[in-house]
Amino acid sequence: MQLLKVLARVLEYPTEELQASKDALVAAVLEDSRLPRQSKQHLLTCLDRLCDGDLLDLQEEYVGTFDKGRATSLLLFEHVHGESRDRGQAMVDLMEEYRRNGLELDARELPDYLPLFLEYLSTRPWDDIQNWLEDIHHILGLLAERLFQRQSHYHVAMDALLTVAGRQVDRQELAKIVASEERDDTPEALDKVWEEEMVKFVDDQGSSCSTGSVVGQRRRELEQTQTIHLSDKLMVDASPRQAGRA
């Protein structure tokens, strides 16, 4: 499903390759038969912004949106398991799912990274796509609302995924939930994380990065990533990934 590949590209770290592929991305959206016209227009507007904007500004915005705090993390299991051991087993299970269907990871990302997950789904039958998106619709709904309330254009991608899933969410209820949440990406919140990390560092007698750290998240991801390789069948339209974009 080409639309899922487009959404994967939209949610990845902005690159020159993304901007150079604008025509192909726009064509895929226009040819899609599942998104309603208004959703297509919103997605096309988002593509205009990503492909025509200043790349450095877009990259800074991306990091500020997705790499600070956990509320808008694109690591799916972060929202379900946090840093518990259950997350590790969930990632092992998802990796096995990929392998069973011909996907061997060759990028420095964890298997629950949403763009990677969407790239995998784009190769699957429609029933599988719907079932998987149904399983994560609650995560997508919260991400969509959090991004919307932060005035981020990336909420459009989450809205599109919910539409593809055929799932209606209670936006008013989600708005109340998100409005009651304490922001975890403010300077004050990040300073608090650093302070807590220092305490854990001392308690662990020199441990370089405790399992509960948000600040060390990207470092842990790079340390835990496995070598991945896309089989020839899955290489079609796959764009290069950014590695080590801390």
Side-chain angles (χ1 to χ4, degrees):
M1 187 178 181
Q2 291 297 311
L3 179 63
L4 293 182
K5 290 188 177 183
V6 172
L7 294 172
R9 301 289 86 77
V10 166
L11 290 170
E12 285 185 332
Y13 186 75
T15 62
E16 292 180 355
E17 289 80 7
L18 168 69
Q19 295 189 326
S21 64
K22 179 181 178 180
D23 289 346
L25 295 172
V26 168
V29 173
L30 292 175
E31 293 169 4
D32 178 74
S33 61
R34 298 188 183 276
L35 277 186
R37 179 180 299 179
Q38 186 176 29
S39 296
K40 284 187 178 183
Q41 188 55 56
H42 290 162
L43 185 53
L44 290 172
T45 300
C46 181
L47 283 172
D48 284 341
R49 179 186 177 98
L50 288 173
C51 294
D52 298 336
D54 180 83
L55 187 57
L56 290 178
D57 288 344
L58 291 168
Q59 290 172 342
E60 182 180 5
E61 179 182 4
Y62 184 94
V63 171
T65 300
F66 296 117
D67 290 349
K68 292 183 179 179
R70 292 175 174 169
T72 55
S73 172
L74 293 180
L75 298 172
L76 294 172
F77 296 146
E78 181 81 19
H79 301 280
V80 180
H81 303 297
E83 293 294 336
S84 70
R85 292 183 179 180
D86 290 339
R87 183 184 176 194
Q89 183 58 53
M91 287 195 291
V92 169
D93 294 342
L94 184 56
M95 183 73 77
E96 184 59 33
E97 169 76 16
Y98 291 164
R99 287 172 176 159
R100 281 199 304 267
N101 292 290
L103 180 63
E104 289 288 338
L105 304 184
D106 63 359
R108 297 178 69 83
E109 293 294 352
L110 291 178
D112 61 338
Y113 179 54
L114 181 55
L116 175 61
F117 180 66
L118 294 178
E119 187 171 304
Y120 165 72
L121 287 188
S122 72
T123 70
R124 305 303 302 149
W126 174 242
D127 287 346
D128 284 359
I129 293 172
Q130 276 202 307
N131 288 337
W132 276 107
L133 291 180
E134 168 67 22
D135 285 346
I136 65 169
H137 81 271
H138 59 294
I139 300 174
L140 298 175
L142 283 170
L143 283 171
E145 186 60 33
R146 286 167 181 155
L147 292 168
F148 177 77
Q149 291 197 20
R150 298 182 187 192
Q151 298 182 323
S152 170
H153 61 277
Y154 284 108
H155 80 87
V156 170
M158 304 303 172
D159 290 337
L161 286 171
L162 288 169
T163 299
V164 172
R167 184 74 185 200
Q168 296 293 325
V169 295
D170 189 337
R171 295 306 292 262
Q172 290 186 337
E173 181 61 27
L174 287 175
K176 292 178 182 178
I177 293 173
V178 174
S180 68
E181 295 176 340
E182 183 176 353
R183 290 281 292 259
D184 63 358
D185 62 335
T186 63
E188 294 77 14
L190 294 173
D191 285 344
K192 184 177 180 180
V193 170
W194 275 109
E195 293 170 0
E196 292 175 350
E197 179 66 13
M198 182 58 68
V199 172
K200 292 175 182 177
F201 177 86
V202 173
D203 287 346
D204 292 343
Q205 296 182 348
S207 174
S208 63
C209 184
S210 74
T211 57
S213 168
V214 177
V215 175
Q217 177 175 317
R218 174 58 58 185
R219 181 176 174 183
R220 287 197 308 280
E221 291 167 16
L222 294 179
E223 291 173 346
Q224 294 174 10
T225 20
Q226 302 185 31
T227 300
I228 42 185
H229 172 69
L230 285 169
S231 67
D232 292 342
K233 180 178 69 172
L234 302 182
M235 282 292 289
V236 179
D237 297 330
S239 65
R241 297 186 186 281
Q242 283 287 326
R245 63 168 188 275

